[in-house]
Structures are given as structure tokens and as C-alpha cells.
Amino acid sequence: MRNRNTIKSLLAATTSPGSVQVCGWVRSVRSGKEVSFITLNDGSCFASLQLVAQSAQLADLAGLATGACLHATGMLIASPAAGQRWELQLETLEVTGAADETYPLQKKQHSLEFLRSIAHLRPRSNTFGAVFRLRSQLAFAVHQFFQHRGFVYVQTPIITANDCEGAGEMFRVTTLDPSQPPLTEGRIDWREDFFGERTGLTVSGQLQGELFATAFSDIYTFGPTFRAENSNTSRHAAEFWMIEPEIAFADLTDNCQLAEDFLRYMVSYALEQCQEDLDFFNARIEKGLLEKLHALAAARFERVTYTQAVALLLKSKCTFEFPVQWGKDLQAEHERYLTEQIFSGPVFVTDYPRHIKAFYMRDNDDEKTVAAMDLLVPRVGEIIGGSQREECLERLQNKMAAQGIAAGDMEWYLDIRRWGSCPHAGFGLGFERLLMYLTGMENIRDVIPFPRTPGNARF
Ligand code: 4AD
Ligand code: MG
């Protein structure tokens, strides 16, 4: 059926192409005495095509029900019905894949929780059709943004011996027999393992990204990232996609500017290219979504230091579950209060206390804070995290020693400070957090095709 017409192309036609053929999945069947209507969707766009048949044409067809897969031919004619320009006057119909009333996605309002339990079928629903079309287009936009600016796309490894964020939240990768691991003095001897050392799934491509930035100046990664943190929240997944640009000859201000340009580009791209799907989110998922996105595309992103943010939170007199105190990391509730209540829009929080941030962040002159930045947005909270990197070998070595990171395993990372070191900075944008922001979907499980969260890796 390679010469089939997509429903998207048919619905966009300005004049009737005449006789056409379509394939897709039935959303609903309405049988009348004389005339019957079938709504067919092929995923090419949000809207479905209405097939109009003489009921007698369908009389002998087995398996024609919601969920069935059809191959239809007919004439595309102007539709007398409201809200659709074209409909298909059916000539021939073949049931490629039958369905019956046991099909779980019957035409009614299903809860997102229920749809999560049928993650293998939910792409055929309106909501998830819209989510995953948007996801695909936005992935393309990521590449377009960076490629237009001359960034080199680097595929960093998935299996690695380094825990970039230093929080010990890696999934282990091993071929050792867990019931009989090789032991030396009672401890597992990783030298016997496949890679000859202890390895896991990457938590970030940043460290390798830095190596490439000191050769190509501007690079980005876009790939899956894994975190074994057991936080069962609506914003955390154990497997998620991250975009990590790394730029040489850049400081924290340049980094914030790139992040702002990037986010603005993604929002504008969605508004221009994904209109039909965004209209659906605006009507059914988050009221006022379009207005919010238009406002963001035009907004000035605010900037405050961590120290200022803490002062603002203390001044707010709001009672939080976790008390606000200089030196403690901001919790999700604090982040949301800042972006939703205080700034009512996107805000960069910069210059966090040194001891709550990763070892690679550049020390500020005050010797208390580092050149870090998080971008917070309403509803989602932290969407981007990044920093200027410590480019001085000696200072970096001291920081690693202070955080108990063995330099021996990281000599390759230190080498770029030994030869041809330069100021550089970068950040990570969580792709699913961005999609949550753009769609209004409130649970990260609903913007990734097959979510991996504690206790859940089926499908
Ligand atoms: O703030 P994070 O941990 O920063 C890094 O990984 C740096 N190495 C990035 C860099 O500077 N190149 O993560 C970056 C972003 C977060 O702001 C968030 O959007 C997302 O990744 N993220 C998650 N998204 C979903 N589930 C999780 N468990 C996430 N953890 C982080
Ligand atoms: Mg972070």
C-alpha cells in the first residue's frame, strides 16, 4: 500500500484529488439503516477521516469495529458535515486486521492512569497520538537548532565507568554471575568483569561532551540517560532523554543565553509546526496553554542568584514542607514557588553553594559558591541544569579530592586541563520535562513512549 494517501495530506487538500486510498485504524463506527459512518485515523495528524458508506456495503464484513485496521478506497468529496472539509465516499473496504468489543480503547474518555496500563495501545488514542507526534517533531527541532548554529552532534557512550553527577545513582552493567561473583578479600573483583572495571549506564554525557568541546568548540549530545534514584515523583524517570550542549570560550552568562535561546526556539517551533496537536492540549489538558507558550516565546527570562532566591523565599513568609536555609538545596516546592508565585515565568537561579553541586563546576571568587545555573519554569520546576566548568587543573584536582573522587579514574578528564585548557560551559535539558511544559501533561510517564520508573519496565 505504498501508494496510499495519508489522511493528513487528504485533509489538507485544496481541491479533491478524486479517487484515493487510505489505511488506518477505526476510532468509531456508526451504523444507520441506509448510511454508515466510520472514523479512521492513521496517526499522520490529529484529525480522523470520515468514511461514508451505504450500510449494505458493510453487511458482510467481519471484524469491523473500533480498533480494526482498514484499507479503503473511494472518492474524496466535500463534506456537508460541520468541522471537516473532506470525507471519503467509500468504494471498496477491506478489513486488514479485525477487532471486536474486547478492544480496550473503546470510544470513551479513559483516564491517563488506565492508558498507562495499556502503554502498548495508548499511541492510538487522541492524547497520546498528539504527545508522540509532538515529541517526534521537537526531537527534529533540537537538531535543527544546534545544526543551524554549527554545533557538532556527538554520540556519547551509554555504558561508562564514570558517575558524572557523583551521586552514586547508576544502574550497574555487568556480565558477572550475581550468585557467584569473583571475590578478592570478600569484595567483588570488578577486574574480572566484562570491561575489567566497574561500569554502569550513563547519568550524563557531559564529561565526554567536554572532551569534544575542547576540539570542536561547540557540541551537543542528545541521547538516553539513566538514573537509579528511587524517587517516585511525576517528574522523575529512571530512563529519560537529555540534550547537553557544551560550548568552549564561554562563561555562565553565555551559557544562560544559549539556554534561553534554545528554549525559546523550541517553544516557537512547537507553536508554528504543531498547531493542531497544541490546540488539543490547550482545550483538553491545560487551559491557557497557548497563551502561556506565546508569553514564554516573548518573555525576558529573569535571573537571580541562589542567595537572592533564598532571601526572597524567606521574605515570602510561605510555609514550606522543607525549611528554606542558605546552604541547603532548593526543593521542588521552593523552585515552583519562585517561578510560579514570585516571577510568574521562567527564571534562572545561579551561583549555588559549592558543597551542594557537582565537582566540575567552577568556583566563584567568593569561595562559597559555584558558577551553576538552573532554569525553572512554572508547573515543571527545574527544566535545565548547567554550569561553567572548572578549567584550572589544580583547582579541579583540589575539588575532586575534597569530594572524594579518585583522580586515577579520571585522568582523561583532567588531561584537557593539562593541554590547551579553555573556559567552557554547558547545560542539560531534560527532554521529557520540556515536553511536559509544552503539552501540559503533568506526569513524565505520559510524555515518554514506554516509561521506566521504579517497579515498572514492562512493554
Ligand atoms: O541537573 P542535571 O542532573 O544535570 C546534569 O546531568 C548535567 N551533567 C548537565 C550538564 O551540565 N551537561 O540534569 C539535567 C536535566 C534536569 O534539569 C532535568 O530537566 C533532567 O535533566 N533530569 C531528569 N528528567 C527526568 N527524570 C530524571 N530522573 C531527571 N534527572 C534530571
Ligand atoms: Mg539539576
Side-chain angles (χ1 to χ4, degrees):
M1 253 78 82
R2 283 292 88 193
N3 52 353
R4 74 185 173 92
N5 304 85
T6 63
I7 290 176
K8 180 179 181 172
S9 69
L10 294 182
L11 293 179
T14 47
T15 55
S16 170
S19 181
V20 299
Q21 52 177 322
V22 291
C23 301
W25 294 268
V26 175
R27 285 292 170 80
S28 67
V29 184
R30 262 189 307 133
S31 313
K33 214 157 146 207
E34 304 271 310
V35 185
S36 295
F37 300 96
I38 301 168
T39 336
L40 197 71
N41 189 285
D42 68 357
S44 61
C45 62
F46 187 88
S48 298
L49 180 67
Q50 174 143 284
L51 316 185
V52 184
Q54 298 305 309
S55 297
Q57 284 179 288
L58 310 179
D60 302 328
L61 280 178
L64 172 59
T66 298
C69 181
L70 305 184
H71 173 207
T73 65
M75 291 292 285
L76 197 71
I77 58 165
S79 175
Q84 58 187 25
R85 174 141 194 207
W86 301 107
E87 62 184 33
L88 190 82
Q89 202 167 45
L90 197 70
E91 277 160 16
T92 67
L93 184 66
E94 188 188 307
V95 178
T96 312
D100 60 20
E101 70 290 345
T102 59
Y103 180 62
L105 264 182
Q106 293 299 326
K107 189 181 161 56
K108 64 170 188 207
Q109 191 74 31
H110 296 288
S111 73
L112 294 173
E113 288 76 15
F114 170 73
L115 290 169
R116 233 171 267 150
S117 75
I118 51 163
H120 56 308
L121 295 172
R122 69 178 184 172
R124 294 191 195 171
S125 66
N126 275 337
T127 305
F128 289 94
V131 167
F132 296 128
R133 262 188 309 275
L134 187 103
R135 184 177 170 113
S136 162
Q137 285 180 281
L138 269 281
F140 178 73
V142 167
H143 289 293
Q144 189 150 289
F145 174 83
F146 288 112
Q147 295 286 336
H148 275 169
R149 290 178 171 228
F151 282 56
V152 167
Y153 172 37
V154 47
Q155 294 83 20
T156 49
I158 293 192
I159 300 174
T160 170
N162 298 99
D163 176 0
C164 168
E165 293 307 299
E169 290 159 347
M170 286 176 97
F171 287 102
R172 191 165 302 165
V173 172
T174 178
T175 52
L176 295 179
D177 177 354
S179 64
Q180 274 183 317
L183 300 175
T184 300
E185 290 168 7
R187 305 181 68 168
I188 296 177
D189 190 344
W190 298 103
R191 287 173 304 182
E192 304 274 315
D193 203 354
F194 189 93
F195 295 105
E197 60 184 317
R198 192 180 166 130
T199 52
L201 298 178
T202 185
V203 297
S204 160
Q206 177 196 322
L207 301 189
Q208 292 91 350
E210 283 186 54
L211 307 184
F212 267 58
T214 53
F216 298 96
S217 305
D218 295 330
I219 66 95
Y220 69 105
T221 72
F222 183 11
T225 332
F226 308 87
R227 302 217 178 158
E229 44 194 347
N230 200 359
S231 45
N232 228 326
T233 80
S234 58
R235 308 182 316 147
H236 289 87
E239 177 178 304
F240 63 98
W241 283 62
M242 188 154 53
I243 297 126
E244 294 184 276
E246 192 70 31
I247 45 178
F249 321 115
D251 61 13
L252 192 68
T253 306
D254 301 317
N255 204 28
C256 290
Q257 189 60 52
L258 179 67
E260 182 171 337
D261 292 349
F262 179 41
L263 189 62
R264 203 189 301 283
Y265 181 89
M266 298 302 279
V267 170
S268 307
Y269 188 94
L271 284 169
E272 280 161 28
Q273 305 292 327
C274 313
Q275 243 174 38
E276 196 186 20
D277 292 321
L278 283 187
D279 284 343
F280 167 79
F281 295 124
N282 188 54
R284 302 292 291 278
I285 304 291
E286 182 184 343
K287 298 266 177 289
L289 175 76
L290 285 176
E291 207 181 312
K292 175 188 91 174
L293 296 181
H294 280 293
L296 184 119
R300 221 180 72 84
F301 289 26
E302 301 287 344
R303 269 158 227 212
V304 283
T305 64
Y306 165 90
T307 304
Q308 289 166 334
V310 165
L312 288 169
L313 289 169
L314 289 173
K315 211 176 82 186
S316 77
K317 299 278 187 289
C318 179
T319 42
F320 297 106
E321 190 188 336
F322 296 91
V324 179
Q325 193 191 330
W326 199 99
K328 289 213 168 104
D329 207 356
L330 297 178
Q331 300 293 323
E333 55 173 345
H334 308 139
E335 295 176 341
R336 291 192 56 172
Y337 191 86
L338 282 166
T339 173
E340 289 168 12
Q341 306 300 324
I342 300 184
F343 292 100
S344 312
V347 56
F348 285 105
V349 180
T350 65
D351 305 291
Y352 284 78
R354 177 157 76 180
H355 64 273
I356 59 171
K357 288 292 186 185
F359 71 95
Y360 51 72
M361 297 191 180
R362 192 178 192 280
D363 280 349
N364 287 327
D365 292 341
D366 63 10
E367 294 190 351
K368 283 192 305 208
T369 61
V370 285
M373 62 92 154
D374 276 3
L375 179 62
L376 314 178
V377 294
R379 285 178 75 133
V380 175
E382 179 194 334
I383 195 167
I384 284 178
S387 73
Q388 185 170 344
R389 320 304 188 190
E390 184 56 75
E391 83 275 17
C392 166
L393 177 66
E394 202 186 315
R395 282 204 303 264
L396 187 57
Q397 283 170 325
N398 291 341
K399 286 172 70 95
M400 286 168 68
Q403 293 200 19
I405 298 168
D409 303 335
M410 300 281 291
E411 287 303 333
W412 56 273
Y413 183 69
L414 294 172
D415 273 352
I416 58 169
R417 277 81 179 170
R418 276 193 185 99
W419 301 297
S421 190
C422 67
H424 61 288
F427 63 81
L429 167 78
F431 191 48
E432 286 73 22
R433 300 251 176 113
L434 172 71
L435 293 170
M436 289 169 72
Y437 185 75
L438 290 174
T439 58
M441 300 295 283
E442 288 185 342
N443 196 312
I444 195 164
R445 295 166 180 79
D446 296 334
V447 294
I448 189 163
F450 301 100
R452 267 81 183 102
T453 49
N456 181 21
R458 215 180 343 133
F459 304 110

